[in-house]
Amino acid sequence: RYGTPIDLMRMIDRLHQRGIGVILDWVPSHFPNDSHGLYEFDGTHLFEHADPRQGYHPDWNSAIFNYGRNEVRSFLTSSAVCWLDRYHVDGLRVDAVASMLYLDYSREQGQWLPNQYGGRENLEAIDFLRSLNTLTHAEQPGSITVAEESTAWPGVSRPVHLGGLGFTFKWNMGWMHDMLAYMKHDPVHRPWAHNHITFSMLYAYTENFMLPFSHDEVVHGKGPMIGKMPGDRWQKFANLRALYGYMFGHPGKKLNFMGGEFGQTREWNHDFSLDWHLLEYPEHRGIRQLVGDLNRLYRSEPSLHELDVRPEGFAWIDCNDHEGSVVSFVRRSGDPADFMVFIVNFTPVVRRPYRLGVPEAGHYREVINTDAEVYGGSNVGNLGGVDTEDIPTHGYEHSVSLILPPLACLILKPDRPAREGRARSIVQGHDHRRELDERLGALPASDEGVLAYS
C-alpha cells in the first residue's frame, strides 16, 4: 500500500538530492510468529531456537533468531548489506540490542540457559553483531550503525579490533531518562534533582552517543513530549523549548521523533497522521521555528558537532548552581578560537543580573534565545548581545552580566568577523525568516545532511 521496492529507492534518492540522510530501523533481535513469516518456516525451528528458553521472547511474544547457525547469520547480514547497497540507505538503527546480548534478558531464574562458560552473555549474538558491523563498514564505507542498547555493556561503539561491538553510535538512554525525569518536576522542586542534568557528562565519552527522544517515549500512555512538561500552557511550551536548546548544546547526535518538533499535544498513534493543524497556533509554530533554527545552527557551527566524542569539545562553566537551576557550558570545535556558550535557566524566574565567566573578552551575540517572541516566548533577553567586563568569574578572567529569560536557553557566540557558512545572530523583534535566510546563506551540501527520523 506504500508502493513497490523501486518506489522506496526513488524516495530515498529524492531525499538524498535534498540533503536528507535515511536511517532504517532494522530488527535482528526478534521476529513475529505469524504463520506467513519465518517462524517454523519449513515446519521446523529453522530460523529460531527450538528451546523456548532461548527461542521465545517473553516481552514481545515473538521468536528469537538462532545466531549460532551460519545460515541464519548469513541471512541477517545479507539483509543488512542489501539495504545499504541496493537501497542506498545511509545507516541502520539496530533494535533492542540489549535483548540480544544477555541470555537472561527479561527472564526469571530457571527461564534461561547459561552459555558454555556458565555466564549470561549470549556469545553467538555478540559474535554476530561484531561480524555484522565489520562487514557493513567494510562493504559500505561511510555507512553507520546505531545500537539501541539500554545497559552498561562496555564498548558498544568501539571498534571490533579493540574489543568493542563495532557500532558507530549508541543511544544514550540514560541521558534521555534523566532529562525527562528532571523536566517532569515542577521548577520549585528541580534544585533537588539537579544531578539529573549534569550526571551524563560523567560518562559522555565512554561511547559515541546519540541523544534520543524516540517513539518509545510518546506511546503506551506516556503521552507526547509537550505533555511531559509541568505548569500552565505557556510554561509547558517554554520548558520544551529550553529542553531542546539544552539538547542541541549537549554532546551527542540529536534524535527527535516526529511530532515533537512542533509540540504535538496527542500521544502518537500509528493509525492517524500527525496533528498538522496545530501549526495554526503560534506556540506550535514557535516550537517548529526553534527546532528548524537549531538544526541550521547545528549544521553551520562546527563547535556544536565536530568534537562530539572528544572531551576537549565541552567544558562546564558552572554546573553547580542547583539553587537557581541554571547550567552553563562551552562547546568548542577543533579550532581553539571557535566556541559557543550555552546558558539554560530551568525556572520561570527572570534572573538579573546573572554574572557568568566566559573564555575571552569582547562582545557576545545572542545567536539563539528560546524565549524570543518569534518562538512563542516572552521576549526577555539581552538586546542581541552583551559586552564582557574585567571581573574574574568561574575561573575566567572575563565575565558578562546577563539577563536570563524564564525557562529558556541562551546561546552566545563571540562577535568576530563571520566565516563563510557560519550562522549569524538571530535578533528578536525583526522579520525573522528573511533575516535568518540572509544571515545563514547557503547550507552545506548533502554530505552534511540533516537526518529525518520517523
Side-chain angles (χ1 to χ4, degrees):
R1 61 187 173 184
Y2 290 117
T4 66
I6 297 298
D7 292 330
L8 177 57
M9 294 177 185
R10 183 179 294 112
M11 186 187 79
I12 293 171
D13 187 50
R14 293 287 180 86
L15 289 169
H16 283 166
Q17 291 174 26
R18 287 155 177 80
I20 300 174
V22 179
I23 300 176
L24 290 188
D25 187 16
W26 189 69
V27 187
S29 52
H30 66 114
F31 61 98
N33 52 20
D34 298 331
S35 59
H36 59 271
L38 299 176
Y39 183 73
E40 295 185 352
F41 188 73
D42 64 348
T44 69
H45 296 285
L46 189 66
F47 285 88
E48 70 275 14
H49 288 277
D51 192 324
R53 291 174 294 178
Q54 296 175 291
Y56 172 73
H57 211 303
D59 279 356
W60 302 302
N61 187 31
S62 56
I64 300 174
F65 285 107
N66 183 347
Y67 306 107
R69 300 195 66 175
N70 290 330
E71 298 87 349
V72 173
R73 291 159 61 97
S74 176
F75 165 74
L76 290 172
T77 52
S78 297
S79 166
V81 171
C82 175
W83 287 114
L84 296 166
D85 177 44
R86 297 190 181 184
Y87 288 83
H88 294 178
V89 302
D90 303 284
L92 302 171
R93 176 263 190 186
V94 182
D95 181 68
V97 170
S99 71
M100 301 173 65
L101 296 175
Y102 300 97
L103 294 166
D104 62 345
Y105 183 88
S106 195
R107 298 177 187 273
E108 302 294 333
Q109 189 67 32
Q111 296 179 344
W112 59 282
L113 296 177
N115 61 36
Q116 59 183 315
Y117 304 108
R120 65 192 187 108
E121 298 82 8
N122 189 333
L123 302 180
E124 290 84 3
I126 294 168
D127 187 57
F128 161 70
L129 290 172
R130 286 172 170 165
S131 62
L132 167 76
N133 287 312
T134 301
L135 180 66
T136 56
H137 291 144
E139 292 280 337
Q140 299 296 321
S143 65
I144 68 172
T145 55
V146 185
E148 184 207 13
E149 205 285 313
S150 55
T151 73
W153 185 280
V156 172
S157 58
R158 292 294 176 264
V160 172
H161 69 272
L162 296 179
L165 295 182
F167 285 93
T168 317
F169 298 107
K170 171 182 173 176
W171 275 20
N172 194 338
M173 309 288 280
W175 176 88
M176 179 268 296
H177 286 301
D178 284 348
M179 285 309 302
L180 291 182
Y182 178 82
M183 297 305 296
K184 289 177 182 178
H185 283 292
D186 187 285
V188 73
H189 299 135
R190 285 177 178 171
W192 289 273
H194 194 72
N195 64 303
H196 281 75
I197 319 176
T198 59
F199 179 67
S200 59
M201 290 311 302
L202 295 178
Y203 62 86
Y205 302 108
T206 59
E207 300 279 2
N208 301 334
F209 279 122
M210 183 174 282
L211 310 181
F213 289 137
S214 75
H215 61 287
D216 287 328
E217 305 314 309
V218 293
V219 292
H220 306 316
K222 295 181 181 179
M225 286 293 291
I226 194 71
K228 304 176 193 299
M229 305 295 118
D232 58 24
R233 180 176 175 84
W234 188 92
Q235 290 189 7
K236 285 180 180 292
F237 280 90
N239 270 298
L240 189 59
R241 293 193 301 267
L243 175 60
Y244 286 160
Y246 180 71
M247 177 191 194
F248 272 76
H250 193 288
K253 307 308 175 187
K254 324 305 174 188
L255 187 70
N256 196 9
F257 189 62
M258 55 185 178
E261 80 279 11
F262 63 86
Q264 174 153 315
T265 54
R266 182 177 54 156
E267 183 176 276
W268 185 70
N269 187 331
H270 56 73
D271 291 327
F272 299 95
S273 66
L274 298 179
D275 293 335
W276 295 112
H277 65 276
L278 292 176
L279 292 173
E280 299 172 9
Y281 302 98
E283 301 96 325
H284 295 277
R285 290 199 304 270
I287 290 283
R288 185 177 69 167
Q289 183 70 63
L290 174 64
V291 172
D293 289 349
L294 287 170
N295 269 321
R296 294 179 185 91
L297 188 71
Y298 180 77
R299 293 176 65 183
S300 61
E301 290 289 342
S303 61
L304 299 187
H305 59 255
E306 195 170 84
L307 299 181
D308 254 353
V309 297
R310 295 174 60 179
E312 55 266 36
F314 176 94
W316 288 113
I317 296 176
D318 186 4
C319 62
N320 297 314
D321 187 5
H322 64 279
E323 292 182 353
S325 295
V326 176
V327 290
S328 51
F329 54 89
V330 177
R331 289 300 309 273
R332 294 185 181 275
S333 71
D335 179 357
D338 180 33
F339 66 90
M340 304 190 82
V341 175
F342 282 72
I343 313 99
V344 192
N345 176 14
F346 285 108
T347 69
V349 178
V350 178
R351 303 197 177 278
R352 70 173 87 190
Y354 192 91
R355 186 157 296 279
L356 187 78
V358 290
E360 63 180 51
H363 182 76
Y364 284 74
R365 290 175 289 110
E366 270 190 0
V367 179
I368 279 184
N369 175 357
T370 65
D371 191 52
E373 186 177 9
V374 71
Y375 302 137
S378 58
N379 224 31
V380 174
N382 299 273
L383 299 177
V386 64
D387 293 313
T388 61
E389 301 175 72
D390 295 332
I391 302 177
T393 311
H394 297 127
Y396 294 106
E397 296 181 1
H398 311 283
S399 60
V400 291
S401 179
L402 295 168
I403 298 174
L404 299 190
L407 296 171
C409 172
L410 292 180
I411 307 177
L412 307 179
K413 183 174 175 62
D415 198 4
R416 299 193 186 93
R419 302 178 186 182
E420 184 178 355
R422 301 290 177 88
R424 312 294 200 274
S425 176
I426 298 170
V427 182
Q428 301 150 247
H430 290 270
D431 182 347
H432 185 75
R433 181 77 269 140
R434 178 177 57 79
E435 177 178 331
L436 188 63
D437 289 341
E438 290 174 354
R439 293 181 177 227
L440 285 177
L443 289 176
S446 60
D447 60 332
E448 292 185 27
V450 177
L451 304 179
Y453 171 56
S454 65

